[in-house]
Amino acid sequence: MAGSGFAALPSPPYFAVVFSSQRSEGDQAAYADAAERMLALAAQQPGYLGVESTRGADGFGITVSYWQTEEAILAWRRHAEHTLVRERGRRDWYRHFEVRVARVERAYGIKAVAPEKDHEVSL
């Protein structure tokens, strides 16, 4: 799924929508297509900042999308195509899901620098 890895985000404050879900056995190909489409469509919305997403082999996944404002989140929620996909997800793709919306006040982390590899010289 696209959206893997860390999102490049501005300094806070901004908003995070945390979508935790347990997949059902529904149509895997249709789900993958819809997930890719939603990531691409979300990225086109005003106020969208980025996404981080992962899913385990057991079907449990977490997707965090980042937004400039709550208004941008609500506009995305009301987007017609997103609404249709959400309805299909409830019906066909998820056994359980939770959505949480939070304001990010602080953000920090570390990015390790890979050590330089020794260079062998062959003569």
Side-chain angles (χ1 to χ4, degrees), residues 65-86:
S65 60
Y66 299 97
W67 302 84
Q68 289 176 338
T69 64
E70 282 187 282
E71 292 77 19
I73 295 168
L74 292 172
W76 171 236
R77 189 174 193 288
R78 291 189 298 259
H79 188 283
E81 189 174 349
H82 183 218
T83 298
L84 292 173
V85 171
R86 278 197 332 270

Side-chain angles (χ1 to χ4, degrees), residues 14-37:
Y14 49 82
F15 291 85
V17 177
V18 182
F19 179 70
S20 303
S21 63
Q22 181 65 53
R23 285 288 320 279
S24 66
E25 298 299 321
D27 183 344
Q28 299 292 327
Y31 173 81
D33 290 346
E36 290 293 330
R37 173 67 183 144

Side-chain angles (χ1 to χ4, degrees), residues 29-113:
Y31 173 81
D33 290 346
E36 290 293 330
R37 173 67 183 144
M38 289 302 98
L39 288 173
L41 188 61
Q44 298 171 8
Q45 304 311 302
Y48 172 86
L49 298 174
V51 68
E52 297 167 345
S53 188
T54 189
R55 184 166 302 280
D58 64 352
F60 181 78
I62 299 175
T63 298
V64 183
S65 60
Y66 299 97
W67 302 84
Q68 289 176 338
T69 64
E70 282 187 282
E71 292 77 19
I73 295 168
L74 292 172
W76 171 236
R77 189 174 193 288
R78 291 189 298 259
H79 188 283
E81 189 174 349
H82 183 218
T83 298
L84 292 173
V85 171
R86 278 197 332 270
E87 290 170 0
R88 183 159 184 205
R90 289 180 175 124
R91 184 182 68 237
D92 298 336
W93 295 323
Y94 299 115
R95 286 195 318 229
H96 180 188
F97 71 85
E98 302 283 338
V99 177
R100 297 167 180 97
V101 179
R103 181 181 163 106
V104 177
E105 296 290 341
R106 284 185 312 281
Y108 51 90
I110 186 170
K111 182 177 181 180
V113 177

